Amino acid sequence: MLYGACFDARTCDIALIAGIASWPRVPDLQHDLIGDDTLHRHERNHEGRDFVVGDIHGHLQQLEALLAWVNFDRTRDRLFAVGDLIDRGPDSAAALQLVDAPWFFAVRGNHEQMMLDAHAAGAFASAEALWLSNGGAWSRQLDVGELAAHCQRA
């Protein structure tokens, strides 16, 4: 997952970028500001549709209902999530596993970042307390290996 998102209306491509939420529309300036290694382009989806969703927050059942309502086709359509896959809802672990699906693309939200900060080497206890107070309690049900796998996904 990456930080930030921008929709380029000129080409109907979606670009996911790291660290910069918006930038000038001049392509050379985009390259100078973020470089090639942080820009991930997704070409126009000629075979299906693209959907954008934000703040899933572990509510996977509601997301699945919405995808069914729009007849989402996992073989042709794509879903772009603009952060906050986890915390607050009952299915945070399953929501985070969406990043493994070939039709799902996500940017890292502040809740994923809080999880990473809480479990980083040398993390302060306050980082974990912040995450837990913002919905991270679901992680208490996981063993160390499961939590490490989820941190890797984030």
Side-chain angles (χ1 to χ4, degrees), residues 74-131:
R74 287 169 168 77
T75 64
R76 302 173 349 154
D77 296 335
R78 299 184 296 194
L79 182 63
F80 294 87
V82 293
D84 293 349
L85 302 178
I86 60 172
D87 299 343
R88 301 193 175 138
D91 300 316
S92 288
L96 197 53
Q97 290 175 344
L98 287 171
V99 301
D100 296 331
W103 48 267
F104 187 85
F105 304 90
V107 295
R108 183 182 303 150
N110 64 313
H111 284 264
E112 290 82 28
Q113 189 61 50
M114 281 189 280
M115 178 179 69
L116 293 173
D117 292 346
H119 296 286
F124 293 106
S126 60
E128 184 175 25
L130 177 64
W131 181 44

Side-chain angles (χ1 to χ4, degrees), residues 3-100:
Y3 253 146
C6 179
F7 178 73
D8 187 347
R10 295 171 298 144
T11 62
C12 294
D13 293 342
I14 294 177
L16 304 179
I17 62 163
I20 302 172
S22 63
W23 63 80
R25 291 193 176 268
V26 180
D28 290 338
L29 288 178
Q30 290 177 15
H31 179 270
D32 291 344
L33 288 173
I34 60 176
D36 288 330
D37 59 338
T38 56
L39 178 65
H40 296 261
R41 284 205 166 278
H42 297 273
E43 299 299 326
R44 176 180 276 173
N45 186 352
H46 292 285
E47 303 200 8
R49 301 166 298 162
D50 289 336
F51 296 91
V52 176
V53 65
D55 298 307
I56 296 169
H57 280 296
H59 292 283
L60 196 57
Q61 190 172 13
Q62 288 88 333
L63 175 65
E64 292 292 343
L66 287 171
L67 294 178
W69 184 65
V70 297
N71 296 315
F72 188 86
D73 182 344
R74 287 169 168 77
T75 64
R76 302 173 349 154
D77 296 335
R78 299 184 296 194
L79 182 63
F80 294 87
V82 293
D84 293 349
L85 302 178
I86 60 172
D87 299 343
R88 301 193 175 138
D91 300 316
S92 288
L96 197 53
Q97 290 175 344
L98 287 171
V99 301
D100 296 331

